Amino acid sequence: MLGRSAYLLAYNATLSAGWAYVLYLTLSTIANGGSLMDVWQAVELPLEIVQTAAVAEVIHAALGVVRSPVLVTSMQVASRLWILWGIVHLVPEAVTARQVAAVSIPGTGGAAIGLSLATLTSVWALSEVLRYGHFAAKEAGIQSKALLWLRYTGFIVLYPLGVSSELAMVYLASGPIRKQRLLSLSLPNRLNVAFDYYVVCWIIVLAYVPDQITGFQIDPTSVLNIGTPVRAEA
Amino acid sequence: MSFKIAVSARDGRTILPKGEKYITLADKDATVADLKRGIADSRPELYTARQRLTTVAEKGKKGTVLEDGKKLAEYGLTNGDTVVFKDLGPQIAYRAVFFWEYFGPLVVYSLFFFFPYLIPEEHGFAQKAALTFWVAHYAKRIAETFLVHSFGHATMPIRNLIKNCSYYWGFAAFIAYFINHPLYTPPSTLQTVLALAAAFTCTLSNLRCHLILADLRSPGRGGYSIPRGFLFDYITCANYTAEIWSWLFFSLATQSLPALVFTLAGAGQMAVWAAGKHQRLRKLFDGKEGREKYPKRYIMFPPLF
């Protein structure tokens, strides 16, 4: 019991700190007038490490260390890993070339954010700092109302912004993926099979997005509570 | 003396029309099948194959499923007692499902052969050989469905038809598309000839296995028995072994990755079924109290499984 709690505290605290570092790198690069490519070069290694470490969450769910459903957790982690490795890491030049369509912020009289790699990494990082921070605090026995409020309220903004930034990345990457036939296999070949990664990307988007939107509307907590530690029966 | 049985859903409400509660049967020797016919007479849309009847569940337990051939009295049911009804949904005959799931691939594969991109092409030897095997294989399956197989259950839920057909028809299209593609790369003729000869041999072995299994179920040999003879002396589900090898050889003969994917998907499903059957046979023939002991055999795929 104690071992598990200590492990989860260490895991969540480490990842929270790791994501905080990614957030810091993103924001400081932007503040120093860096380009989107500069942001990518700054965050690449730590981002790839902390995001890939989320695979442990699927293992936690499968082993019953945490209370999350295995399938939902796997889908969440897989979609993040796909965006990171299968999109951004694959064509960093393309996804840092520009922003995509600005999203206007309600109640600010027209202020807008363009979706870009910077919104992606900051939104991912901020939501993960809050999520892992929340779980770490829980394991440490700290019940912070402020952290809880921040996490749940932040989620309402961060989640849609995160999903739309992810889609922006796929959109930016899709051009070179199609033109250069990246990760694709053409006929004729000795296996007698063809594979078109460009088509697969859109199939994933079409299968994944409606699921994300409806899932979010029906039960935000299904997404929010991934990683919730198992509590002993009261 | 007539014999009355109440039929209710799990929530306790009667399922019979006009608020009626009881099905009246001829006498206390009435069977479960008689009761089901009574229910179907009363509500024709609930034909007997759709019905599942159980005894009323005691607290914390499940009710016992009533088997058609048995008498109601064997379950301790007496005049005025209640049985619980469950609607299994629309049913379709096993044979019909088998026919459609095998007939589809015949048609789908042939369409891809005869109309690649709607422009008939010259076909290479491997492509013609592949079509021959494919058609022969599914024709064999259809013939077996009507002439060899007997089915433990007469029907299954109708949604299985859609599920099974999607699987077989979808894989047929996937495999046929790439094998009949104008840019298909054939292996050497020697590879095709040898591998396809092996594939046909395995298909015939599979047929022999099915005939042995059908013989076990022939009338007058009631109950379970241990399959024996031919490959069954070494493998519990030798029919699956032959089936898997025939598709492995087909994949090799055509050098087709989609065909290999189909082989592995099928093998995975068959492994689950085979493990279940092996367990059942081992439990049934445990060697105790005069029962036979199930011999030591591979489950499906020597020397691995």
Side-chain angles (χ1 to χ4, degrees), chain B residues 78-98:
Chain B
T78 56
N79 193 19
D81 278 355
T82 300
V83 296
V84 177
F85 172 92
K86 186 179 178 202
D87 181 6
L88 297 174
Q91 299 286 303
I92 181 165
Y94 250 83
R95 270 213 174 81
V97 175
F98 272 46

Side-chain angles (χ1 to χ4, degrees), chain B residues 84-134:
Chain B
V84 177
F85 172 92
K86 186 179 178 202
D87 181 6
L88 297 174
Q91 299 286 303
I92 181 165
Y94 250 83
R95 270 213 174 81
V97 175
F98 272 46
F99 173 75
W100 287 114
E101 71 187 28
Y102 299 155
F103 183 66
L106 266 184
V107 174
V108 170
Y109 193 99
S110 304
L111 284 177
F112 276 96
F113 181 89
F114 290 109
F115 305 102
Y117 293 139
L118 297 174
I119 309 161
E121 289 262 333
E122 279 291 303
H123 289 100
F125 172 70
Q127 291 169 315
K128 289 179 192 162
L131 176 77
T132 311
F133 176 83
W134 190 278

Side-chain angles (χ1 to χ4, degrees), chain A residues 187-194, chain B residues 178 181 183-185 255 257-258:
Chain A
L187 290 175
N189 60 61
R190 294 217 60 194
L191 296 172
N192 284 307
V193 74
Chain B
F178 286 108
H181 197 285
L183 295 176
Y184 170 72
T185 311
Q255 186 120 338
L257 187 64

Side-chain angles (χ1 to χ4, degrees), chain B residues 5 11 15 54 78 106-107 117 119 124 144 155 163 169 174 185 200 217 235 238-239 248 253 282 298:
Chain B
I5 292 286
D11 61 9
I15 58 131
T54 50
T78 56
L106 266 184
V107 174
Y117 293 139
I119 309 161
E144 284 175 335
T155 68
K163 196 177 73 183
W169 298 36
F174 180 43
T185 311
F200 270 113
R217 290 200 180 168
I235 312 162
N239 48 328
L248 283 174
R282 286 236 312 223
Y298 287 106

Side-chain angles (χ1 to χ4, degrees), chain A residues 56-187:
Chain A
E57 286 187 64
V58 180
I59 300 167
H60 295 166
L63 295 179
V65 180
V66 297
R67 207 174 47 196
S68 331
V70 183
L71 194 67
V72 181
T73 311
S74 323
M75 293 292 288
Q76 290 287 327
V77 173
S79 74
R80 284 285 192 89
L81 291 176
W82 174 59
I83 295 288
L84 177 62
W85 292 103
I87 298 291
V88 179
H89 182 89
L90 186 67
V91 280
E93 302 82 16
V95 297
T96 55
R98 60 190 174 91
Q99 311 185 357
V100 178
V103 177
S104 66
I105 305 165
T108 55
I113 310 178
L115 301 169
S116 69
L117 182 82
T119 56
L120 181 83
T121 56
S122 36
V123 165
W124 275 9
L126 190 53
S127 52
E128 296 298 49
V129 167
L130 293 172
R131 192 167 67 94
Y132 287 120
H134 172 77
F135 293 136
K138 225 170 168 178
E139 288 306 325
I142 304 162
Q143 294 285 5
S144 162
K145 276 246 168 73
L147 197 57
L148 198 68
W149 182 86
L150 209 58
R151 186 168 119 74
Y152 280 74
T153 315
F155 182 77
I156 295 167
V157 181
L158 294 175
Y159 191 78
L161 203 54
V163 172
S164 45
S165 299
E166 290 171 15
L167 291 176
M169 294 297 105
V170 178
Y171 172 69
L172 289 172
S174 63
I177 288 174
R178 181 165 63 167
K179 279 196 205 93
Q180 299 165 36
R181 292 195 52 78
L182 296 171
L183 302 182
S184 300
L185 185 63
S186 308
L187 290 175

Side-chain angles (χ1 to χ4, degrees), chain B residues 272-289:
Chain B
V272 174
W273 291 333
K277 184 170 180 183
H278 191 76
Q279 271 320 100
R280 277 200 305 280
L281 285 169
R282 286 236 312 223
K283 216 171 137 185
L284 216 55
F285 300 101
D286 54 6
K288 289 175 196 156
E289 295 166 23

Side-chain angles (χ1 to χ4, degrees), chain B residues 13 31 37 47 64 69-70 130 164 188 200 210 235 239 250 277:
Chain B
R13 270 187 262 175
T31 62
R37 272 194 292 277
Y47 43 87
T64 313
K70 294 197 171 173
N164 294 11
S188 71
F200 270 113
H210 283 158
I235 312 162
N239 48 328
F250 174 81
K277 184 170 180 183

